[in-house]
Amino acid sequence: MTDDLRARLTAVRTEVGKAVVGQDAAVTGLIIALLARGHVLLEGVPGVAKTLLVRSLAASLDLTTTRVQFTPDLMPGDVTGSTVFDASTGRFDFRAGPVFTNLLLADEINRTPPKTQSALLEAMEERQVTVDGVSRPLPDPFLVAATQNPVEYEGTYSLPEAQLDRFLMKLVLDLPPREQEVEVLTRHAAGFDPRDLRAAGVRAVLQADDLARARAAVREVQAAPDVLGYAVDLVRGTRNAPSVQLGVSPRGATALLAAARAWAWLRGAPALTPDHLQDMALPVLRHRIRLRPEAELEGVSVDAVLRSVVANVQVPL
């Protein structure tokens, strides 16, 4: 049964690959987030298939999905829903917003002001939305896949630290190499339409109950005390790095554990190892660190700091 679930998740990657060229690491990251009940932040310059990646993932899952284009004039109620007066009944009724779905694509989330960005905080953490004092649960599973352009781009707002910390991982989509760009053009020349994923052959291969069973299997992955201690040492190492102003919080340690266990299960490992934690360190921790201003001026990157931490923290034998 477990092997069949892994095969189904591998099939998800195959289906996404029918529409998206490359970006295998990002696809794997999204699958890990589904298994770990986390949310994903996708960062990259416009045109690297961030939105297409999430739409293709949704098409390969038998789950409900909605898309919200975040704009400067978007209001919190446009995301969560609001109470409106129904003249035909003379009552105030709640009209659910697009957040009431299994997979929410929050497109260009950093183009909207922080007030609207924060409308997702309760949904991401508590899996519910409170409007006019009434809390309403969200569907299960629920995943926010948010795309953002680099903050240096005009018209973007940095996400608040409290919201960044709610994302399980941040995946960076780089510009593709020449061979992959040629493959993209080859597909388009052959008639590929990114707006018609069904025509591209993308089909649903995973059901909600399959995902629930896979999540239960992930929870069976064992974690020895020394490996848990290693995860804590990695997180504490970010707080002591000389270039870091604000290191990773304890929530980051729990996120690292959750993602690493999902990754271990995907690879067929019965127990967590330091290698799994090292593999997940960059995507899980990179958005939870704030560098000192002088380090940023010197061109120090968060990923470089994390690689140094991983290289210097003692690995349990």
Side-chain angles (χ1 to χ4, degrees):
M1 177 64 72
T2 299
D3 290 339
D4 176 64
L5 290 173
R6 290 197 191 94
R8 286 175 176 270
L9 286 163
T10 300
V12 169
R13 297 180 60 179
T14 302
E15 294 302 312
V16 174
K18 293 178 180 179
V20 180
V21 177
Q23 309 297 3
D24 289 341
V27 176
T28 300
L30 285 164
I31 292 174
I32 288 172
L34 279 170
L35 292 172
R37 300 185 80 244
H39 309 287
V40 178
L41 185 63
L42 299 168
E43 182 178 280
V45 298
V48 293
K50 300 186 297 295
T51 303
L52 180 61
L53 174 62
V54 177
R55 290 180 55 241
S56 303
L57 176 70
S60 68
L61 305 171
D62 189 19
L63 302 174
T64 61
T65 179
T66 55
R67 173 181 178 272
V68 178
Q69 179 65 50
F70 279 71
T71 56
D73 60 349
L74 193 72
M75 299 299 291
D78 297 331
V79 178
T80 62
S82 58
T83 302
V84 297
F85 180 72
D86 188 340
S88 63
T89 62
R91 298 181 310 187
F92 285 92
D93 296 324
F94 176 72
R95 293 187 180 176
V99 75
F100 286 85
T101 186
N102 294 126
L103 197 159
L104 175 67
L105 171 55
D107 217 354
E108 295 188 303
I109 190 173
N110 63 334
R111 286 202 179 278
T112 199
K115 182 178 180 180
T116 303
Q117 293 172 1
S118 298
L120 285 175
L121 271 177
E122 182 186 15
M124 294 171 67
E125 184 67 17
E126 306 295 335
R127 314 283 167 152
Q128 68 178 22
V129 168
T130 302
V131 177
D132 292 337
V134 179
S135 297
R136 296 173 173 85
L138 295 173
D140 184 45
F142 174 69
L143 179 144
V144 175
T147 72
Q148 73 168 8
N149 298 325
V151 294
E152 295 81 7
Y153 272 62
E154 184 177 355
T156 60
Y157 301 82
S158 297
L159 269 66
E161 273 86 3
Q163 185 171 3
L164 283 172
D165 212 24
R166 264 66 177 188
F167 284 100
L168 177 71
M169 56 179 64
K170 174 183 174 181
L171 305 174
V172 179
L173 279 66
D174 296 318
L175 290 169
R178 183 180 184 277
E179 313 83 67
Q180 291 184 359
E181 283 200 75
V182 171
E183 174 62 21
V184 170
L185 289 188
T186 301
R187 292 189 181 189
H188 279 261
F192 170 71
D193 183 358
R195 290 169 290 276
D196 189 358
L197 296 177
R198 181 169 303 200
V202 180
R203 59 190 179 89
V205 294
L206 190 74
Q207 312 295 319
D209 55 348
D210 297 325
L211 182 58
R213 288 196 298 271
R215 286 174 168 178
V218 168
R219 291 193 291 270
E220 298 299 318
V221 174
Q222 300 298 309
D226 58 341
V227 178
L228 294 177
Y230 179 63
V232 171
D233 291 340
L234 286 174
V235 168
R236 292 176 66 86
T238 66
R239 303 171 197 163
N240 300 324
S243 299
V244 174
Q245 183 179 60
L246 180 65
V248 179
S249 70
R251 182 187 284 125
T254 62
L256 179 60
L257 173 63
R261 290 176 79 181
W263 177 228
W265 180 81
L266 275 176
R267 302 192 67 179
L272 192 65
T273 69
D275 287 342
H276 300 133
L277 292 167
Q278 292 173 3
D279 290 343
M280 291 294 103
L282 263 66
V284 173
L285 304 181
R286 59 162 56 108
H287 57 295
R288 307 173 193 271
I289 292 175
R290 185 196 302 165
L291 296 178
R292 297 183 183 277
E294 57 269 26
E296 291 181 333
L297 290 174
E298 293 171 0
V300 177
S301 70
V302 169
D303 283 9
V305 170
L306 283 171
R307 291 190 184 97
S308 176
V309 169
V310 170
N312 286 291
V313 172
Q314 184 174 358
V315 180
L317 299 176

